[in-house]
Amino acid sequence: MSQTHPLRVVVLISGSGSNLQALIDGQKQGELPVEIVAVISNRAAVRGLQRAEQAGIPALILDHTQYESREAFDEALQAQIDEYRPELVVLAGFMRILTPGFTRHYEGRMFNIHPSLLPKYQGLHTHQRVLDAGESEHGVTVHFVTPELDGGPPVIQARVPVLEGDTAETLAARVQQQEHSIYPLAVKWFAQGRLQMKSGKALLDNEPLGPQGYLMGTTQP
């Protein structure tokens, strides 16, 4: 059942914020029943902060280099996020490994997007690793965040073919197009009350999703 008010969302970024822009566009166009109440970056002077400011969204910087430990930074970040009382936290190119305490605090209400067909190619440099391995397809996964790096239950995946002559850059660009479609869709399902995490599994309309989540290319529910 969908809620009567827009879902309060905080978005965490580290860079250009193209997925943030897809969410902003969906909110503005009325396609996403959400209110992005803050954008927080661990790096200053990134394009994503400008995107937030241009949309009239509070844009904050919390520089991780100013903290003596990963735990200290995550504690400060958690306090900053919680000031905005979010119902969902969205990692949109947030390039930090999060501590278990932080991820447990937002368990079941934090998403990440990862440029691979999880559980394949967790971690960094996925596009080059896919090419080096001679894969015929690549893609992107939205998943709930758990303490395991890139290991939370998948919500939705989109696949793209690996074409002859692809470079890491051309492959990344094709994957990013899919990111901008599936991330807003996952957020929309959550805002509508259709998507949840229960007992370590992602459920859509109270039905468990498969080990790779909902696969784009089939009929959209």
Side-chain angles (χ1 to χ4, degrees):
M1 182 181 297
S2 62
Q3 51 190 52
T4 56
H5 66 279
L7 188 83
R8 295 178 64 84
V9 176
V10 167
V11 181
L12 306 185
I13 63 169
S14 296
S16 69
S18 67
N19 277 303
L20 166 64
Q21 189 65 56
L23 297 174
I24 290 172
D25 292 345
Q27 175 184 301
K28 281 187 173 181
Q29 295 161 10
E31 296 171 0
L32 290 181
V34 305
E35 178 187 3
I36 302 173
V37 294
V39 172
I40 304 174
S41 174
N42 66 309
R43 294 176 179 164
V46 295
R47 177 75 177 97
L49 291 170
Q50 298 173 7
R51 295 180 192 272
E53 290 168 354
Q54 290 166 358
I57 299 168
L60 302 95
I61 301 165
L62 202 65
D63 185 350
H64 65 276
T65 65
Q66 301 303 305
Y67 294 84
E68 61 184 16
S69 68
R70 191 176 297 278
E71 289 76 15
F73 173 74
D74 279 10
E75 287 176 9
L77 178 60
Q78 180 178 312
Q80 183 73 80
I81 293 169
D82 286 352
E83 285 187 18
Y84 290 90
R85 297 175 288 106
E87 295 159 285
L88 180 68
V89 177
V90 174
L91 309 182
F94 188 62
M95 303 303 290
R96 294 283 300 170
I97 295 174
L98 298 167
T99 56
F102 183 92
T103 60
R104 290 193 186 100
H105 181 71
Y106 299 106
E107 184 173 327
R109 54 192 183 106
M110 182 160 60
F111 285 156
N112 184 43
I113 191 163
H114 182 73
S116 81
L117 296 173
L118 291 174
K120 290 185 174 181
Y121 304 107
Q122 296 169 322
L124 301 175
H125 310 301
T126 60
H127 311 300
Q128 189 60 54
R129 288 160 64 196
V130 163
L131 292 173
D132 292 345
E135 298 275 12
S136 61
E137 64 177 5
H138 187 28
V140 58
T141 307
V142 176
H143 64 93
F144 281 103
V145 176
T146 63
E148 181 186 353
L149 178 65
D150 300 327
V155 170
I156 184 170
Q157 282 191 345
R159 302 180 178 219
V160 300
V162 177
L163 305 178
E164 186 175 350
D166 259 335
T167 63
E169 290 73 26
T170 60
L171 192 53
R174 205 154 59 251
V175 168
Q176 192 174 70
Q177 289 181 335
Q178 297 300 319
E179 292 179 16
H180 299 164
S181 296
I182 70 170
Y183 219 174
L185 183 57
V187 170
K188 181 178 180 179
W189 288 344
F190 191 90
Q192 292 172 330
R194 299 178 58 193
L195 179 63
Q196 61 181 313
M197 185 176 120
K198 186 178 278 188
S199 300
K201 293 185 178 181
L203 277 66
L204 181 63
D205 297 330
N206 292 317
E207 292 294 328
L209 290 165
Q212 294 173 308
Y214 179 81
L215 302 178
M216 287 297 287
T218 57
T219 303
Q220 181 177 316

